[in-house]
Amino acid sequence: NAGVTQTPKFQVLKTGQSMTLQCAQDMNHNSMYWYRQDPGMGLRLIYYSASEGTTDKGEVPNGYNVSRLNKREFSLRLESAAPSQTSVYFCASSAPGLAGSDTQYFGPGTRLTVL
Amino acid sequence: GNSVTQMEGPVTLSEEAFLTINCTYTATGYPSLFWYVQYPGEGLQLLLKATKADDKGSNKGFEATYRKETTSFHLEKGSVQVSDSAVYFCALSDRGGGFKTIFGAGTRLFVKA
């Protein structure tokens, strides 16, 4: 099992450009998440998808959109990148609903720089 | 709302020293508590967890006990190694919050040989 995979690993954008970050999991998890990690601020939830066909805003959704393409895939889109979106982005998945099974499994991250 | 507070870093220790990283939480329900670890250039991975009061989670020599009376989940290890150098995140997940996980800000640990 590959677990959670993310592409690309690194990306440099110019202000105003758009891009999509891809995430896939092969653990048959219902829930998927997108976080950003900034120095000294821990992880902040951008969007999440509790199950296939649903998406909800997290703590910092402005400037982002998401698509839950199917049970395996959850993409994050930046329509018009801004320097404030320079960050490390992590995708995660989990299988909540069962006792003790709300552990999150993380991908390796995408390091995005917006110039 | 739910929140997690953990001690600020960085924490610098010599090899074989005792480690404690403090974590306290605020939650309206009965959360599960976690410690995640992030090694350089990688994503987070679960280190240990506890799902109810007085449970002790343990893994790789690390331990943490779920203390409801003090709303704490402090991470300890009796003898750290250089390979333990990483960032450690305390977190909680509450069914009342739809299983969204709340993370602390992270504590960076440096272990010197």
Side-chain angles (χ1 to χ4, degrees):
Chain A
N1 285 353
V4 180
T5 56
Q6 293 183 236
T7 56
K9 285 189 167 55
F10 300 93
Q11 184 71 49
V12 179
L13 293 177
K14 294 181 180 177
T15 296
Q17 288 185 317
S18 62
M19 79 161 295
T20 300
L21 281 64
Q22 306 285 355
C23 173
Q25 53 91 8
D26 62 2
M27 295 174 282
N28 202 35
H29 286 168
N30 285 327
S31 298
M32 298 185 73
Y33 311 82
W34 277 105
Y35 296 92
R36 59 178 289 172
Q37 183 179 30
D38 302 294
M41 302 190 73
L43 274 76
R44 292 185 290 170
L45 183 64
I46 305 171
Y47 271 93
Y48 68 101
S49 171
S51 61
E52 186 179 355
T54 68
T55 61
D56 286 286
K57 295 178 181 179
E59 183 184 354
V60 288
N62 291 345
Y64 305 95
N65 285 301
V66 291
S67 295
R68 183 75 182 266
L69 303 170
N70 46 56
K71 191 171 185 179
R72 290 187 64 247
E73 298 172 288
F74 189 38
S75 62
L76 178 72
R77 183 159 178 84
L78 286 70
E79 291 291 352
S80 179
S84 61
Q85 294 177 305
T86 293
S87 189
V88 181
Y89 291 85
F90 288 100
C91 178
S93 69
S94 70
L98 301 174
S101 61
D102 38 0
T103 299
Q104 298 210 352
Y105 296 83
F106 284 82
T110 294
R111 283 145 185 83
L112 175 66
T113 300
V114 183
L115 302 175
Chain B
N2 295 344
S3 66
V4 174
T5 303
Q6 62 182 105
M7 63 188 288
E8 289 190 26
V11 174
T12 302
L13 296 173
S14 297
E15 209 165 21
E16 299 184 2
F18 184 85
L19 168 71
T20 299
I21 301 178
N22 290 337
C23 172
T24 57
Y25 68 91
T26 302
T28 53
Y30 299 92
S32 296
L33 301 175
F34 304 82
W35 278 100
Y36 287 85
V37 59
Q38 184 181 30
Y39 298 105
E42 299 183 8
L44 280 71
Q45 56 185 274
L46 179 69
L47 179 60
L48 54 84
K49 66 181 181 183
T51 57
K52 61 183 188 296
D54 300 325
D55 269 1
K56 178 185 284 188
S58 61
N59 187 26
K60 299 181 182 179
F62 291 89
E63 292 183 341
T65 301
Y66 190 141
R67 300 285 188 203
K68 190 164 169 54
E69 65 275 13
T70 55
T71 62
S72 65
F73 193 55
H74 304 320
L75 182 69
E76 297 182 335
K77 186 174 186 182
S79 177
V80 294
Q81 306 300 312
V82 172
S83 57
D84 294 326
S85 297
V87 182
Y88 293 83
F89 292 89
C90 186
L92 72 80
S93 173
D94 183 359
R95 285 175 176 78
F99 287 103
K100 285 181 287 185
T101 299
I102 307 297
F103 291 88
T107 302
R108 184 175 294 278
L109 171 67
F110 292 105
V111 180
K112 302 179 296 185

